[in-house]
Structures are given as structure tokens and as C-alpha cells.
Amino acid sequence: DAGITQSPRYKITETGRQVTLMCHQTWSHSYMFWYRQDLGHGLRLIYYSAAADITDKGEVPDGYVVSRSKTENFPLTLESATRSQTSVYFCASSDGGEMADTQYFGPGTRLTVL
Amino acid sequence: AQSVSQHNHHVILSEAASLELGCNYSYGGTVNLFWYVQYPGQHLQLLLKYFSGDPLVKGIKGFEAEFIKSKFSFNLRKPSVQWSDTAEYFCAVNEGQGGKLIFGQGTELSVKP
């Protein structure tokens, strides 16, 4: 029962580089989400997806790109990393439905941008 | 825009003390409410959730929360904390349909043995 996995778990990169964080879930959940966790801000939604090929912006989408060609995968790309994007990134999934359902979180990716 | 406020940023308790963590939200319509916990070095896990019905919700590990609609609150309680409850606790509220959650800033709980 793999659940939801993220890779890499830790990443150090330099300003201006492109970085892709991977998220994979085995439950066939329709909804997937990307959050960033920063001290004093809790979790903030970056992007989410209601189904394959359907994505939408969250609270803090600038500087990020997502895609969802398959239900189980939801990669997050930082097109040109900046120091302000140093954070812990969590992917989550849920069954969705008419009202919000329980979200299940991955282990997180700690990203440092130098 | 909807917001979620957790009043306590850091709470320090001794084992066996009672716990109450505050959570208030701003949305005036029908809401679904959640408490998540993040143990040190781990991912977020669901503690409990409220969708409808009995406003007193019981979750895992002896936690409970009470939804008070008139106060826009969903406070988390535990009568007797243990050292293993040391973690960060997040309150979250859904924003309409589609499963989007708005999280509070989190409350760090430290329990001294």
C-alpha cells in the first residue's frame, strides 16, 4: 500500500534553475493538490487538479507550473527557482466529490534554493 | 476570502494536562472542518473532521473537537496529553466544492514528560 509518494525528499538547487517535484498516488483519487509550508504561514495551496488534464490555481501559484496527464501523477515545476521558493512542499490527494473530502498527504519535499 | 485563524502559535504543557487549541474561521456558509496533525519529521495526518450532524466530533488518539456555528469556531481538545502528542496541529476549512482547504497557521504543541 504505497499511498502517496513524493520525490525527491530533499533538493538543493540554485537560483534560476528549473526544478520538478514529483507526486504519485496509488488510490486513483480524482483530486490532487500542491501546498507549500512556511513558518508562520501554515500550508498554502499552490495548485490543484480535479482530474487528469484539469488544473487550477490556488493561493500562491506564481512561479510554478503543473500538469496532470495521468490521474496518478501531479508534478510541480519551478520554472526558474528563486530563494523565496525555499520551502517544504506537500502533495495531497482526495476522492473529492460534492463536498471536500479528507486529503491524504505525502511525506513532503524539502527544497532549498541557494 | 475565507480565512482560518489559530490563536495559539506555541503551547507548552506538562503530561496529563488538558489541552484546548482554538480555531476560528471566517466563512459564513456551510463548512467542512478538519484538524490535521504533523508529528516531527512526518507528513500531515487527519485527526478528525466535521461534515454534519453531532457538533462534538471524536477523532483518533483521544482528541475531540466541538463545532460552534454561532462562534465560527472548531476548537480541538484532549483531556490529558501525553509526551507523544508533541506535534504541530493545523485547523482547516473547505472553501466550497472541489476539496480546496484553507489552513490555519498551525499551533506547535510541546508536551514535557
Side-chain angles (χ1 to χ4, degrees):
Chain A
D1 184 5
I4 184 165
T5 57
Q6 294 183 235
S7 62
R9 295 293 312 280
Y10 302 90
K11 177 74 177 178
I12 300 174
T13 190
E14 296 176 336
T15 302
R17 289 190 180 268
Q18 184 180 75
V19 177
T20 295
L21 310 183
M22 304 301 294
C23 178
H24 176 79
Q25 52 106 354
T26 59
W27 295 304
S28 298
H29 282 170
S30 54
Y31 282 86
M32 295 187 76
F33 308 84
W34 273 107
Y35 295 90
R36 58 177 292 173
Q37 182 180 24
D38 304 289
L39 203 62
H41 291 281
L43 277 82
R44 292 180 291 176
L45 182 65
I46 304 171
Y47 269 95
Y48 68 104
S49 169
D53 297 323
I54 301 174
T55 63
D56 207 347
K57 296 178 180 179
E59 183 185 354
V60 289
D62 293 343
Y64 303 95
V65 173
V66 293
S67 62
R68 194 161 176 211
S69 57
K70 294 183 178 181
T71 300
E72 61 267 30
N73 296 324
F74 191 39
L76 176 74
T77 298
L78 288 67
E79 293 186 296
S80 177
T82 65
R83 290 185 180 176
S84 64
Q85 292 177 309
T86 292
S87 185
V88 181
Y89 291 85
F90 287 99
C91 179
S93 71
S94 76
D95 278 340
E98 188 173 327
M99 296 299 284
D101 204 348
T102 303
Q103 292 189 18
Y104 298 90
F105 285 80
T109 295
R110 185 175 293 275
L111 176 68
T112 302
V113 183
L114 301 176
Chain B
Q2 182 173 176
S3 64
V4 178
S5 177
Q6 292 181 240
H7 315 296
N8 314 102
H9 296 298
H10 192 188
V11 173
I12 302 173
L13 296 173
S14 297
E15 275 195 317
S18 64
L19 170 71
E20 180 160 3
L21 301 182
C23 174
N24 287 90
Y25 60 94
S26 62
Y27 186 60
T30 301
V31 292
N32 296 330
L33 299 151
F34 303 80
W35 276 98
Y36 281 86
V37 60
Q38 186 179 26
Y39 297 104
Q42 296 188 27
H43 60 281
L44 276 80
Q45 303 169 45
L46 181 70
L47 261 184
L48 48 79
K49 62 185 179 183
Y50 171 80
F51 278 14
S52 63
D54 189 343
L56 184 61
V57 180
K58 294 194 184 297
I60 61 172
K61 303 186 179 184
F63 286 90
E64 65 178 30
E66 185 175 12
F67 170 51
I68 302 179
K69 188 175 182 179
S70 62
K71 295 185 178 180
F72 297 88
S73 71
F74 189 55
N75 292 355
L76 181 71
R77 300 194 293 247
K78 185 171 184 178
S80 177
V81 295
Q82 300 173 312
W83 176 80
S84 58
D85 293 325
T86 294
E88 190 156 16
Y89 293 80
F90 293 93
C91 180
V93 178
N94 79 303
E95 187 181 66
Q97 296 184 3
K100 286 167 55 179
L101 291 180
I102 305 298
F103 282 85
Q105 303 93 324
T107 297
E108 185 180 349
L109 173 64
S110 300
V111 180
K112 295 190 282 188

